[in-house]
Amino acid sequence: MGSIGALPLADWVNSGVDWLSQFTGFFNSITAFFQAIIDAIQWVFDLLPEWLFIIVILAFTYWIKRDQKKLGFMIFEALGLLLIWNLGFWRDMTQTLTLVLSSSLIAIVIGIPLGIWMAKSSKAEVVIKPILDFMQTLPAFVYLIPAVAFFGIGMVPGVLASVIFAMPPTVRMTNLGIRQVPEDLIEAADSFGSTSWQKLIGLQLPMAKNTIMSGVNQTMMLGLSMVVIASMIGALGLGTQVYFAVGRNDAGAGFAAGIAVVIVAIILDRITQSFNKTSH
């Protein structure tokens, strides 16, 4: 009895990638669009001198946390950003922020409408949920191979890999938040003759705002967790410093760049959580 041969799964995937690679014009236009977003965000960061950037961040924190305890966090922000400046990682930090903010922005713009669609259509939920599971559980390194094949080396494939990895929480939490709106409130809106659009804008999204913001917070953190992996395909930033330190077996340089990543992560996390709290 002959043995059953292995399925040529790798060959099928390679054939699919080769077939898609012929649409270079389509992928070049996507690259140009994403690069324009990245360049615009980086231009803003480059425009501000270091001291003014720190003042802007502190002022924004003071405004967004106006009803919360903020002095301790603002001191941490000031000291953390001054440390990054002192260590010579400022430019790397702004490039990391560009990567995280651009990927998060794209993930949110795509993810929230997808979450709304899932909440409104059970059929859509059945189709999209397995795709989200696939996106979240597939090892992040696997995204890099087609990203390089279609978009080359640089920030754009790093951003796109981050979008794929980081988008599912926004989609899931938007779906969950809208589905958790009490049925009696929806019935009350129906009794007043509200259309589906009016219910969504005036009732469901405001009620689901805290849950959606939790998803956005998770998306930003996952985007930041991709910076070191994205540096392997040419995405610039603090991840590059960590990657180089690993290559040189330089524990000190790796730790210094890692501390900078931690500071950025804590600042982003606390600020997005503050958005959630101020929306109560």
Side-chain angles (χ1 to χ4, degrees):
M1 189 173 176
S3 61
I4 299 173
L7 279 173
L9 183 59
D11 293 336
W12 293 344
V13 172
N14 287 332
S15 298
V17 170
D18 291 340
W19 182 77
L20 286 170
S21 296
Q22 67 184 308
F23 300 104
T24 51
F26 171 71
F27 291 118
N28 287 342
S29 61
I30 293 178
T31 302
F33 175 71
F34 281 67
Q35 190 64 54
I37 296 173
I38 293 165
D39 290 343
I41 296 172
Q42 188 64 53
W43 179 80
V44 172
F45 288 145
D46 290 343
L47 197 64
L48 299 174
E50 291 86 345
W51 60 270
L52 183 57
F53 183 95
I54 294 171
I55 291 171
V56 168
I57 293 293
L58 291 173
F60 181 72
T61 302
Y62 183 85
W63 175 74
I64 199 64
K65 292 173 78 78
R66 55 192 176 274
D67 298 325
Q68 306 160 39
K69 293 179 181 177
K70 52 186 172 284
L71 182 60
F73 178 60
M74 289 177 68
I75 292 171
F76 170 81
E77 274 184 328
L79 293 177
L81 292 172
L82 286 170
L83 177 63
I84 290 172
W85 186 8
N86 175 262
L87 292 172
F89 291 141
W90 191 267
R91 172 72 176 173
D92 297 298
M93 183 204 69
T94 60
Q95 289 170 332
T96 294
L97 279 175
T98 298
L99 178 76
V100 173
L101 293 178
S102 53
S103 60
S104 298
L105 177 66
I106 295 161
I108 291 162
V109 167
I110 299 171
I112 290 179
L114 266 181
I116 293 170
W117 187 29
M118 284 177 69
K120 296 289 185 182
S121 168
S122 295
K123 289 180 181 176
E125 186 179 34
V126 168
V127 173
I128 294 171
K129 260 191 172 179
I131 297 172
L132 296 178
D133 294 337
F134 184 81
M135 288 164 67
Q136 281 190 296
T137 53
L138 191 71
F141 285 96
V142 179
Y143 298 138
L144 305 186
I145 304 166
V148 171
F150 299 143
F151 303 102
I153 297 291
M155 289 288 274
V156 171
V159 166
L160 285 168
S162 299
V163 167
I164 295 169
F165 184 68
M167 188 168 65
T170 294
V171 181
R172 290 183 191 279
M173 297 301 269
T174 301
N175 175 35
L176 179 66
I178 291 175
R179 286 182 180 273
Q180 284 182 337
V181 174
E183 197 64 38
D184 55 341
L185 292 178
I186 295 173
E187 289 172 1
D190 287 334
S191 68
F192 283 106
S194 299
T195 63
S196 295
W197 183 253
Q198 287 171 330
K199 279 190 293 185
L200 178 66
I201 299 299
L203 173 65
Q204 291 170 313
L205 285 179
M207 291 287 291
K209 189 175 180 182
N210 294 334
T211 309
I212 293 170
M213 282 307 301
S214 296
V216 169
N217 174 266
Q218 290 177 34
T219 288
M220 293 192 81
M221 292 300 100
L222 287 173
L224 188 58
S225 73
M226 278 290 287
V227 296
V228 177
I229 297 172
S231 70
M232 297 175 66
I233 54 172
L236 301 172
L238 292 167
T240 309
Q241 298 298 328
V242 175
Y243 183 54
F244 286 170
V246 171
R248 296 193 302 264
N249 196 25
D250 188 342
F255 183 79
I259 286 292
V261 173
V262 169
I263 291 167
V264 172
I266 292 172
I267 290 172
L268 286 174
D269 180 54
R270 296 298 185 273
I271 287 177
T272 51
Q273 282 186 14
S274 298
F275 273 109
N276 196 358
K277 289 172 183 174
T278 54
S279 64
H280 276 244

